[in-house]
Amino acid sequence: MTLDGDLKKEAWWAVADFHPFTTEVRGIPANQIRKSWCKATEFRKDLIPKELLFEGSADVMKAAGMSFAIEGRFDGTATLQVAVVGVFQECAGPKGRFFLILDQPAGGTPRIRFVDAVRTNRQFGALQKGQGGSIVAWECMECDGSSVLKWDRKKRKFGWVPQPEEQ
């Protein structure tokens, strides 16, 4: 990760440029997540300088209830799932942020249940458990830039919950 901006004027997540360096996420090759990807790296706290994530001894993300990975039974089944965010790079060069939900079967190989990816120069993303088994995906730490994903029983798939228009 490199910072491309002035930390006195902007938050670190707004000026962070993440550089993917792994070719798989939780054992799944990047090109199996999306064919055009050569690299994909899941965000982890140990990849970000400690002084950015902690104010004194306080973990800023934890205090906000945010994480780079959360576990749950988001589709209401007995199978445990993990939702993760990270950065990808296409083989042609463009980078962006991804949001991935994987089934975590006991003793089995993780299986992709949901992928959302957007090309962007600002790849930061974080997750939070929402109400009713939903997942809140954030593109910043102190803003209104969030989206809610929830399992739709009728459609039998994950979908973004429409947000009311701001007045």
Side-chain angles (χ1 to χ4, degrees):
M1 178 187 90
T2 56
L3 298 173
D4 183 22
D6 184 350
L7 291 180
K8 291 182 174 121
K9 296 179 181 175
E10 297 180 89
W12 71 267
W13 58 85
V15 297
D17 185 15
F18 294 91
H19 308 283
F21 61 92
T22 57
T23 56
E24 62 180 40
V25 175
R26 305 245 172 161
I28 300 172
N31 65 1
Q32 286 183 21
I33 299 170
R34 290 273 170 95
K35 290 185 186 338
S36 63
W37 295 2
C38 281
K39 295 180 185 176
T41 301
E42 176 184 346
F43 291 146
R44 299 186 323 256
K45 285 184 177 180
D46 65 326
L47 298 177
I48 298 171
K50 192 173 182 177
E51 62 271 15
L52 299 177
L53 289 175
F54 289 83
E55 289 179 4
S57 62
D59 181 330
V60 180
M61 284 188 73
K62 187 175 182 179
M66 294 179 173
S67 182
F68 294 130
I70 56 175
E71 289 186 346
R73 289 176 170 78
F74 303 115
D75 66 356
T77 65
T79 303
L80 185 65
Q81 285 129 10
V82 61
V84 301
V85 288
V87 61
F88 69 86
Q89 184 165 16
E90 296 176 4
C91 300
K95 292 190 300 184
R97 171 181 56 248
F98 71 81
F99 172 28
L100 186 63
I101 299 177
L102 304 172
D103 275 347
Q104 294 283 109
T109 305
R111 182 173 72 97
I112 298 170
R113 291 293 303 281
F114 177 83
V115 180
D116 187 62
V118 60
R119 287 183 184 173
T120 179
N121 292 330
R122 299 293 174 239
Q123 302 91 20
F124 178 83
L127 302 172
Q128 190 176 45
K129 285 188 178 182
Q131 297 177 343
S134 66
I135 302 168
V136 182
W138 295 89
E139 56 187 57
C140 58
M141 284 186 32
E142 296 173 1
C143 71
D144 296 330
S146 68
S147 301
V148 177
L149 186 80
K150 189 166 174 65
W151 178 255
D152 185 321
R153 280 187 274 217
K154 290 180 183 173
K155 294 180 180 176
R156 301 182 44 87
K157 67 178 187 174
F158 288 99
W160 295 107
V161 177
Q163 299 297 307
E165 294 293 323
E166 289 193 36
Q167 303 297 324

